[in-house]
Amino acid sequence: MRAGSSVALLLALVAPAAADPATADAAFQRGRELMKAHRYAEACEAFETSQGLDPQLGTQFNLANCEVEIGKLASAWKIYRKLADSDPNPDRKALSKQLAAGMAPRLPKLVVVVPAMPPQLAVAVDGTDATGWVGVATPVDVGRHAIVVTAPGFAPRSDTVAVKEGELARLSVTLTPLGAPADAAATATPQAGESPPAASSRTLHGKIAVAGGGALVAAGLVVGAVAVSDWHDAQKATVDQDAKSHHAVVLGDVSTVLVVAGLIPAAIGVYLWQTPRSTAMVAPAAGPDRASVSIAGTF
């Protein structure tokens, strides 16, 4: 009798926690009100509470709508896809399919690359197994993600990658054997609008070179225009025609030197700007009777 009473009491305690429609509905309604008040983080918590007490497809749909507002785009996208595949409500199913398709271009993605993959490699993202992500661009939520890469016989590697909406972040990891110098590196390379830190200096130098070269070309064109004007005036002059013609020719030569001296750093600057691989310094210079450009660095 005593054992039977204990089992009955245990069942009585567990049963209400398994499903609580009334409390779940209250949490759901609170989530709807918080959404209207644009208090999205609190609304998501309310929907998650409701879903945990009484799982419903409608609650999932509202949770996905809420998660979109707080940057959890991948989480919302996964819910929409699930509903688009299996929701018995035809209207909600169609809307979920439409929303999932519309979100696709906005999804942040993360790809983990391990050039030399050792046996039993394991990858965790935010504490969850993500070994299957290796080499695959996988949708993730907006924000920072902690990545840990491990393998037997190798020192573990960890890094944090920030991902923005619509971007692809790439993390390349080289594991270091235990006992070897810790010189392997893990680098995160954001795509779609964000340059790697190592390339930013080269890109800046490229822009400076383009600007400096462009200034020299512009100066050369101005001097050239003056030379052409002086040449025409010299042809019409009746006094000191030879001296004036010579002066126009000299200006023409200066114009040519400035244009050529400007085109060289401009072309190099475009190369540096568009191929950010290493660093280089380009320093154009011009004086009253000469123009020059100096380049230092590696290509």
Side-chain angles (χ1 to χ4, degrees), residues 26-39 43 46-47:
F28 178 82
Q29 295 303 327
R30 173 171 169 75
R32 294 291 296 272
E33 292 300 320
L34 289 169
M35 283 286 287
K36 293 178 182 178
H38 305 292
R39 296 164 60 181
F47 288 134

Side-chain angles (χ1 to χ4, degrees), residues 259-285:
V259 171
V260 172
L263 289 175
I264 294 174
I268 295 175
V270 170
Y271 173 78
L272 296 178
W273 189 352
Q274 298 300 321
T275 57
R277 288 286 180 180
S278 58
T279 58
M281 291 293 294
V282 181

Side-chain angles (χ1 to χ4, degrees), residues 200-216 262 264-270 272-273 280-285 293-294:
S200 59
S201 177
R202 177 184 171 92
T203 301
L204 176 61
H205 294 154
K207 292 180 180 180
I208 293 174
V210 171
L216 286 177
I264 294 174
I268 295 175
V270 170
L272 296 178
W273 189 352
M281 291 293 294
V282 181
V293 57
S294 61

Side-chain angles (χ1 to χ4, degrees), residues 231-288:
W231 174 263
H232 287 303
D233 291 342
Q235 301 309 304
K236 298 176 183 178
T238 56
V239 178
D240 295 331
Q241 185 181 53
D242 291 341
K244 292 180 179 180
S245 297
H246 178 71
H247 177 71
V249 170
V250 171
L251 287 179
D253 292 339
V254 172
S255 171
T256 301
V257 170
L258 288 173
V259 171
V260 172
L263 289 175
I264 294 174
I268 295 175
V270 170
Y271 173 78
L272 296 178
W273 189 352
Q274 298 300 321
T275 57
R277 288 286 180 180
S278 58
T279 58
M281 291 293 294
V282 181

Side-chain angles (χ1 to χ4, degrees), residues 162-243:
V163 187
K164 297 181 180 179
E165 181 176 325
E167 289 188 350
L168 170 66
R170 180 178 182 274
L171 179 72
S172 181
V173 179
T174 300
L175 294 178
T176 304
L178 291 174
D183 57 355
T187 56
T189 308
Q191 306 292 325
E194 200 173 340
S195 298
S200 59
S201 177
R202 177 184 171 92
T203 301
L204 176 61
H205 294 154
K207 292 180 180 180
I208 293 174
V210 171
L216 286 177
V217 171
L221 294 177
V222 171
V223 174
V226 173
V228 171
S229 177
D230 287 357
W231 174 263
H232 287 303
D233 291 342
Q235 301 309 304
K236 298 176 183 178
T238 56
V239 178
D240 295 331
Q241 185 181 53
D242 291 341

Side-chain angles (χ1 to χ4, degrees), residues 7-207:
V7 172
L9 178 60
L10 180 60
L11 291 175
L13 292 173
V14 173
D20 189 350
T23 306
D25 184 64
F28 178 82
Q29 295 303 327
R30 173 171 169 75
R32 294 291 296 272
E33 292 300 320
L34 289 169
M35 283 286 287
K36 293 178 182 178
H38 305 292
R39 296 164 60 181
Y40 299 117
E42 297 174 71
C44 290
E45 291 180 3
F47 288 134
E48 288 174 350
T49 299
S50 177
Q51 183 68 10
L53 293 171
D54 185 23
Q56 298 290 334
L57 296 181
T59 305
Q60 286 188 331
F61 181 79
N62 280 270
L63 175 59
N65 293 341
C66 182
E67 288 181 330
V68 170
E69 301 295 340
I70 61 174
K72 298 181 69 174
L73 302 182
S75 297
W77 178 71
K78 291 175 183 176
I79 293 176
Y80 287 141
R81 291 190 66 191
K82 178 181 177 182
L83 296 176
D85 182 59
S86 59
D87 195 336
N89 183 316
D91 293 335
R92 192 167 57 213
K93 180 175 183 177
L95 181 56
S96 296
K97 183 177 181 179
Q98 178 182 347
L99 291 172
M103 285 183 61
R106 299 176 55 192
L107 288 175
K109 294 182 179 180
L110 172 66
V111 57
V112 179
V113 178
V114 185
M117 291 183 59
Q120 302 181 46
L121 178 77
V123 178
V125 177
D126 299 327
T128 302
D129 179 57
T131 307
W133 292 20
V134 176
V136 179
T138 305
V140 294
D141 292 329
V142 172
R144 302 185 71 82
H145 298 275
I147 296 94
V148 178
V149 181
T150 59
F154 292 84
R157 300 287 313 199
S158 61
D159 207 337
T160 302
V161 180
V163 187
K164 297 181 180 179
E165 181 176 325
E167 289 188 350
L168 170 66
R170 180 178 182 274
L171 179 72
S172 181
V173 179
T174 300
L175 294 178
T176 304
L178 291 174
D183 57 355
T187 56
T189 308
Q191 306 292 325
E194 200 173 340
S195 298
S200 59
S201 177
R202 177 184 171 92
T203 301
L204 176 61
H205 294 154
K207 292 180 180 180

